[in-house]
mmCIF file of all heavy atoms in Angstrom:
data_model
loop_
_atom_site.group_PDB
_atom_site.id
_atom_site.type_symbol
_atom_site.label_atom_id
_atom_site.label_comp_id
_atom_site.label_asym_id
_atom_site.label_seq_id
_atom_site.Cartn_x
_atom_site.Cartn_y
_atom_site.Cartn_z
ATOM 1 N N ALA A 5 108.087 65.130 -21.129
ATOM 2 C CA ALA A 5 107.764 63.705 -21.241
ATOM 3 C C ALA A 5 107.249 63.157 -19.914
ATOM 4 O O ALA A 5 106.310 62.354 -19.885
ATOM 5 C CB ALA A 5 108.979 62.923 -21.720
ATOM 6 N N CYS A 6 107.847 63.583 -18.815
ATOM 7 C CA CYS A 6 107.400 63.145 -17.484
ATOM 8 C C CYS A 6 105.994 63.645 -17.192
ATOM 9 O O CYS A 6 105.154 62.905 -16.669
ATOM 10 C CB CYS A 6 108.359 63.637 -16.408
ATOM 11 S SG CYS A 6 109.927 62.757 -16.398
ATOM 12 N N VAL A 8 103.661 64.421 -19.383
ATOM 13 C CA VAL A 8 102.735 63.687 -20.246
ATOM 14 C C VAL A 8 102.489 62.287 -19.681
ATOM 15 O O VAL A 8 101.356 61.803 -19.642
ATOM 16 C CB VAL A 8 103.273 63.613 -21.697
ATOM 17 C CG1 VAL A 8 102.452 62.643 -22.535
ATOM 18 C CG2 VAL A 8 103.279 64.992 -22.329
ATOM 19 N N MET A 9 103.542 61.623 -19.224
ATOM 20 C CA MET A 9 103.401 60.276 -18.676
ATOM 21 C C MET A 9 102.551 60.299 -17.400
ATOM 22 O O MET A 9 101.672 59.452 -17.218
ATOM 23 C CB MET A 9 104.774 59.664 -18.383
ATOM 24 C CG MET A 9 104.672 58.207 -17.980
ATOM 25 S SD MET A 9 106.238 57.426 -17.610
ATOM 26 C CE MET A 9 107.125 57.655 -19.117
ATOM 27 N N SER A 12 98.909 60.936 -18.317
ATOM 28 C CA SER A 12 98.319 59.736 -18.920
ATOM 29 C C SER A 12 98.002 58.686 -17.858
ATOM 30 O O SER A 12 96.926 58.076 -17.872
ATOM 31 C CB SER A 12 99.265 59.139 -19.958
ATOM 32 O OG SER A 12 99.493 60.045 -20.996
ATOM 33 N N ASN A 26 79.262 50.582 -8.336
ATOM 34 C CA ASN A 26 77.812 50.580 -8.388
ATOM 35 C C ASN A 26 77.276 51.087 -7.054
ATOM 36 O O ASN A 26 76.782 50.314 -6.238
ATOM 37 C CB ASN A 26 77.270 49.171 -8.657
ATOM 38 C CG ASN A 26 77.650 48.669 -10.015
ATOM 39 O OD1 ASN A 26 77.622 49.430 -10.968
ATOM 40 N ND2 ASN A 26 78.014 47.406 -10.130
ATOM 41 N N HIS A 37 65.360 41.585 4.142
ATOM 42 C CA HIS A 37 65.276 40.370 3.330
ATOM 43 C C HIS A 37 66.457 40.268 2.368
ATOM 44 O O HIS A 37 66.288 40.441 1.154
ATOM 45 C CB HIS A 37 63.961 40.351 2.551
ATOM 46 C CG HIS A 37 62.752 40.545 3.409
ATOM 47 N ND1 HIS A 37 62.307 39.591 4.287
ATOM 48 C CD2 HIS A 37 61.910 41.601 3.549
ATOM 49 C CE1 HIS A 37 61.246 40.041 4.924
ATOM 50 N NE2 HIS A 37 60.981 41.264 4.499
ATOM 51 N N SER A 49 77.714 45.213 7.469
ATOM 52 C CA SER A 49 78.782 46.205 7.492
ATOM 53 C C SER A 49 78.246 47.583 7.102
ATOM 54 O O SER A 49 78.715 48.604 7.619
ATOM 55 C CB SER A 49 79.935 45.788 6.585
ATOM 56 O OG SER A 49 79.512 45.622 5.265
ATOM 57 N N ALA A 60 78.933 59.455 15.656
ATOM 58 C CA ALA A 60 80.002 60.465 15.593
ATOM 59 C C ALA A 60 79.418 61.845 15.316
ATOM 60 O O ALA A 60 79.812 62.837 15.956
ATOM 61 C CB ALA A 60 81.019 60.090 14.521
ATOM 62 N N MET A 63 77.510 63.177 18.378
ATOM 63 C CA MET A 63 78.389 63.623 19.465
ATOM 64 C C MET A 63 79.016 64.983 19.159
ATOM 65 O O MET A 63 79.403 65.705 20.076
ATOM 66 C CB MET A 63 79.481 62.582 19.726
ATOM 67 C CG MET A 63 78.950 61.313 20.365
ATOM 68 S SD MET A 63 80.212 60.046 20.580
ATOM 69 C CE MET A 63 81.262 60.805 21.800
ATOM 70 N N GLU A 66 75.653 70.295 19.056
ATOM 71 C CA GLU A 66 75.146 70.742 20.351
ATOM 72 C C GLU A 66 73.737 70.228 20.627
ATOM 73 O O GLU A 66 73.442 69.734 21.709
ATOM 74 C CB GLU A 66 75.170 72.270 20.404
ATOM 75 C CG GLU A 66 74.953 72.799 21.801
ATOM 76 C CD GLU A 66 75.212 74.292 21.879
ATOM 77 O OE1 GLU A 66 76.194 74.753 21.276
ATOM 78 O OE2 GLU A 66 74.417 74.970 22.532
ATOM 79 N N ASP A 67 72.827 70.376 19.641
ATOM 80 C CA ASP A 67 71.455 69.895 19.797
ATOM 81 C C ASP A 67 71.391 68.448 19.331
ATOM 82 O O ASP A 67 71.272 68.162 18.134
ATOM 83 C CB ASP A 67 70.487 70.755 18.986
ATOM 84 C CG ASP A 67 70.342 72.151 19.553
ATOM 85 O OD1 ASP A 67 70.471 72.303 20.781
ATOM 86 O OD2 ASP A 67 70.113 73.079 18.767
ATOM 87 N N PHE A 81 75.949 46.721 17.512
ATOM 88 C CA PHE A 81 75.295 46.411 16.245
ATOM 89 C C PHE A 81 73.943 45.758 16.501
ATOM 90 O O PHE A 81 72.942 46.102 15.863
ATOM 91 C CB PHE A 81 76.165 45.483 15.394
ATOM 92 C CG PHE A 81 75.420 44.925 14.222
ATOM 93 C CD1 PHE A 81 75.244 45.682 13.077
ATOM 94 C CD2 PHE A 81 74.853 43.663 14.272
ATOM 95 C CE1 PHE A 81 74.526 45.186 11.995
ATOM 96 C CE2 PHE A 81 74.134 43.157 13.201
ATOM 97 C CZ PHE A 81 73.975 43.923 12.061
ATOM 98 N N SER A 85 70.392 47.204 15.242
ATOM 99 C CA SER A 85 69.587 46.409 14.329
ATOM 100 C C SER A 85 68.197 46.147 14.916
ATOM 101 O O SER A 85 67.189 46.293 14.223
ATOM 102 C CB SER A 85 70.291 45.091 14.015
ATOM 103 O OG SER A 85 69.543 44.339 13.097
ATOM 104 N N LEU A 88 66.150 49.359 14.844
ATOM 105 C CA LEU A 88 65.733 49.630 13.469
ATOM 106 C C LEU A 88 64.587 48.720 13.048
ATOM 107 O O LEU A 88 63.572 49.182 12.503
ATOM 108 C CB LEU A 88 66.919 49.447 12.519
ATOM 109 C CG LEU A 88 66.603 49.474 11.032
ATOM 110 C CD1 LEU A 88 66.269 50.890 10.582
ATOM 111 C CD2 LEU A 88 67.745 48.916 10.229
ATOM 112 N N GLY A 96 55.150 49.111 9.183
ATOM 113 C CA GLY A 96 54.718 48.201 8.130
ATOM 114 C C GLY A 96 55.401 48.501 6.811
ATOM 115 O O GLY A 96 56.596 48.780 6.753
ATOM 116 N N ASP A 98 55.247 51.069 4.988
ATOM 117 C CA ASP A 98 55.656 52.463 4.801
ATOM 118 C C ASP A 98 57.167 52.641 4.874
ATOM 119 O O ASP A 98 57.710 53.552 4.258
ATOM 120 C CB ASP A 98 55.002 53.372 5.846
ATOM 121 C CG ASP A 98 53.491 53.461 5.670
ATOM 122 O OD1 ASP A 98 53.006 53.130 4.569
ATOM 123 O OD2 ASP A 98 52.811 53.852 6.626
ATOM 124 N N LEU A 104 68.254 52.950 4.531
ATOM 125 C CA LEU A 104 68.634 52.401 5.829
ATOM 126 C C LEU A 104 69.157 53.493 6.757
ATOM 127 O O LEU A 104 68.878 53.471 7.956
ATOM 128 C CB LEU A 104 69.691 51.308 5.634
ATOM 129 C CG LEU A 104 69.874 50.331 6.774
ATOM 130 C CD1 LEU A 104 68.595 49.578 7.066
ATOM 131 C CD2 LEU A 104 70.976 49.346 6.445
ATOM 132 N N LEU A 108 67.432 54.286 10.305
ATOM 133 C CA LEU A 108 68.172 54.150 11.562
ATOM 134 C C LEU A 108 68.109 55.442 12.356
ATOM 135 O O LEU A 108 67.909 55.417 13.572
ATOM 136 C CB LEU A 108 69.627 53.746 11.307
ATOM 137 C CG LEU A 108 70.466 53.542 12.570
ATOM 138 C CD1 LEU A 108 69.874 52.453 13.467
ATOM 139 C CD2 LEU A 108 71.898 53.202 12.210
ATOM 140 N N TYR A 110 65.736 57.786 12.308
ATOM 141 C CA TYR A 110 64.392 57.919 12.868
ATOM 142 C C TYR A 110 64.169 56.953 14.027
ATOM 143 O O TYR A 110 63.555 57.306 15.029
ATOM 144 C CB TYR A 110 63.327 57.695 11.798
ATOM 145 C CG TYR A 110 63.304 58.735 10.708
ATOM 146 C CD1 TYR A 110 62.896 58.394 9.424
ATOM 147 C CD2 TYR A 110 63.710 60.046 10.923
ATOM 148 C CE1 TYR A 110 62.867 59.332 8.404
ATOM 149 C CE2 TYR A 110 63.687 60.987 9.907
ATOM 150 C CZ TYR A 110 63.266 60.626 8.654
ATOM 151 O OH TYR A 110 63.242 61.558 7.646
ATOM 152 N N GLU A 114 63.453 57.978 17.987
ATOM 153 C CA GLU A 114 62.264 57.506 18.692
ATOM 154 C C GLU A 114 62.629 56.684 19.934
ATOM 155 O O GLU A 114 62.017 56.821 20.987
ATOM 156 C CB GLU A 114 61.413 56.664 17.749
ATOM 157 C CG GLU A 114 60.098 56.192 18.356
ATOM 158 C CD GLU A 114 59.275 55.406 17.371
ATOM 159 O OE1 GLU A 114 58.806 56.010 16.383
ATOM 160 O OE2 GLU A 114 59.096 54.177 17.589
ATOM 161 N N ILE A 121 66.822 65.496 29.203
ATOM 162 C CA ILE A 121 68.230 65.157 29.456
ATOM 163 C C ILE A 121 69.058 66.400 29.193
ATOM 164 O O ILE A 121 68.963 66.989 28.121
ATOM 165 C CB ILE A 121 68.691 64.001 28.553
ATOM 166 C CG1 ILE A 121 67.904 62.743 28.890
ATOM 167 C CG2 ILE A 121 70.186 63.753 28.715
ATOM 168 C CD1 ILE A 121 68.193 61.569 27.976
#
Side-chain angles (χ1 to χ4, degrees):
C6 287
V8 170
M9 187 180 302
S12 298
N26 294 320
H37 307 289
S49 59
M63 289 176 67
E66 193 170 318
D67 291 329
F81 168 80
S85 182
L88 171 72
D98 293 341
L104 199 60
L108 182 59
Y110 294 150
E114 184 178 293
I121 296 175

